[in-house]
Amino acid sequence: MADIEQNYQIKYCDKWGAYLQQEASRLEKYVTVETGLSGKMVAFDQYGILDFQEKTTRMQSTELDEAPTTRRVIHPHIFTRAVGFDEFDAKKLANIDIPVSKTIESLRAAAGRTMDQVMLSSFLGTCYTGEYGTDAVNLGDEQTINADYTESGTSANSNLTVSKLRKALTMLQRAEAWNEERRAYGDELVLACSAAQINSLLQEPEVSSFDYNTARALVEGKIDTFLGFRIIRTELLPIRNGERTCLAWVKSKAQFGIWDDFRVKISVRDDLDETLQVRAKFACGATRLQEEAFVKILCNE
């Protein structure tokens, strides 16, 4: 006679779980968003800076200058993903439903992450200007705070520090990219960094002390704002050889464009034996409008 243990059954749950993941765009609220775009590229024209010349001669000839204008363009990035379920999957899954709703949720989460990746890669990478949008513009060394930056003393590689934030704020203010008047008009100062940088800041006396900061950083281990920066945590920032590239920017100069917002279509594919297809798509792009409104902060993790 067989041992009863050989008849033990496996009990399966009747609901689908989900993997840990970033579930929505974290940056979209902190950039300037333009929707309903069309065309192979979209131009954002800006008016430059004028100054005066002193008049030194009576009834002198008037000299005309061209208006100082610049142009930045956004090219669309088109993304699609389709997931299929065979016509007999529902029967074979027995007491658990086909995960259509979970598929849509996961596609929506992936779209949010991808939009953030488009923004970060555009803000950190090559942007385009010129009449036809073919002239490349990069974020130069003058807009970069190195990993070994210190306000005084011997230089040494470090993670995110209050000193680096002060330096970034000073750079933005000197370029007139940021002042408190801009906040009154709805503009915002933003810092994107990873959990490692937030942990580093929590160890700084200016952040961890009641004399400098609110109790939230101490009690909740959470920093929403510091030195005027809205701090956004993202793990999508590039890291190379243990050095994370963080980014500070002014909201009004970080342009994000949407050609086609996230959409999902569910259809039956007769060409694939009535497979149920869940297909999502969207198209977007981003650009810096001015380099002076962005600062790269290199942090050693």
Side-chain angles (χ1 to χ4, degrees):
M1 182 177 295
D3 193 306
I4 194 171
E5 290 184 1
Q6 298 181 19
N7 300 97
Y8 284 176
Q9 302 296 305
I10 299 175
K11 174 63 177 177
Y12 295 99
C13 65
D14 57 2
K15 294 182 179 180
W16 292 95
Y19 269 41
L20 298 174
Q21 60 183 310
Q22 178 184 324
E23 297 178 351
S25 171
R26 292 178 181 164
L27 304 182
E28 190 174 0
K29 294 180 181 178
Y30 305 103
V31 298
T32 302
V33 181
E34 193 81 22
T35 60
L37 302 183
S38 61
K40 66 178 183 179
M41 71 177 189
V42 172
F44 293 86
D45 295 324
Q46 302 176 90
Y47 199 92
I49 299 174
L50 289 173
D51 55 16
F52 277 88
Q53 293 179 341
E54 183 180 0
K55 180 178 177 178
T56 58
T57 304
R58 295 181 67 249
M59 293 181 287
Q60 67 186 34
S61 298
T62 299
E63 295 183 7
L64 286 178
D65 293 320
E66 294 288 350
T69 60
T70 60
R71 167 174 290 178
R72 286 296 167 94
V73 302
I74 296 181
H75 298 90
H77 301 270
I78 302 172
F79 300 93
T80 65
R81 187 63 186 268
V83 178
F85 298 100
D86 186 79
E87 60 181 333
F88 287 102
D89 282 347
K91 293 292 185 181
K92 294 179 180 179
L93 285 170
N95 65 329
I96 187 171
D97 293 333
I98 293 178
V100 173
S101 61
K102 283 294 182 184
T103 299
I104 295 173
E105 289 176 14
S106 187
L107 288 169
R108 188 180 300 277
R113 292 194 304 275
T114 304
M115 290 179 183
D116 283 0
Q117 289 171 332
V118 168
M119 284 183 254
L120 291 173
S121 62
S122 298
F123 298 157
L124 288 169
T126 302
C127 293
Y128 293 92
T129 185
E131 181 178 0
Y132 303 105
T134 55
D135 299 334
V137 181
N138 294 307
L139 195 59
D141 293 340
E142 68 277 6
Q143 295 303 120
T144 300
I145 299 174
N146 293 325
D148 63 353
Y149 173 80
T150 56
E151 288 177 323
S152 61
T154 304
S155 298
N157 286 348
S158 64
N159 207 323
L160 185 60
T161 62
V162 175
S163 296
K164 290 180 180 180
L165 285 182
R166 280 196 287 258
K167 175 67 172 177
L169 179 60
T170 301
M171 291 170 64
L172 294 170
Q173 288 174 329
R174 282 179 176 171
E176 294 294 348
W178 179 252
N179 54 57
E180 287 303 318
E181 288 82 1
R182 301 189 71 89
R183 194 185 301 277
Y185 293 107
D187 213 348
E188 198 161 6
L189 198 57
V190 185
L191 171 70
C193 63
S194 77
Q197 282 74 63
I198 292 175
N199 180 62
S200 178
L201 280 179
L202 286 170
Q203 300 176 55
E204 293 271 289
E206 292 93 329
V207 177
S208 62
S209 172
F210 279 105
D211 295 333
Y212 293 95
N213 208 349
T214 64
R216 175 173 293 179
L218 296 175
V219 177
E220 300 181 10
K222 179 180 180 181
I223 307 175
D224 287 332
T225 57
F226 193 75
L227 288 179
F229 288 95
R230 172 74 67 176
I231 299 176
I232 308 301
R233 183 186 67 80
T234 173
E235 305 304 318
L236 301 176
L237 289 159
I239 183 170
R240 184 178 182 183
N241 297 327
E243 190 172 87
R244 178 83 68 176
T245 301
C246 300
L247 186 65
W249 70 81
V250 177
K251 178 180 178 180
S252 62
K253 297 302 179 181
Q255 186 68 56
F256 181 59
I258 298 177
W259 272 253
D260 199 358
D261 210 346
F262 176 79
R263 297 183 185 182
V264 175
K265 180 180 180 181
I266 301 175
S267 58
V268 175
R269 294 284 304 274
D270 290 331
D271 60 321
L272 297 175
D273 286 341
E274 298 185 9
T275 291
L276 183 67
Q277 176 179 283
V278 182
R279 184 174 185 270
K281 63 179 180 179
F282 66 96
C284 64
T287 188
R288 299 182 304 269
L289 294 181
Q290 284 184 255
E291 277 62 53
E292 294 81 3
F294 292 79
V295 177
K296 287 196 295 186
I297 307 175
L298 305 181
C299 298
N300 190 50
E301 288 190 13

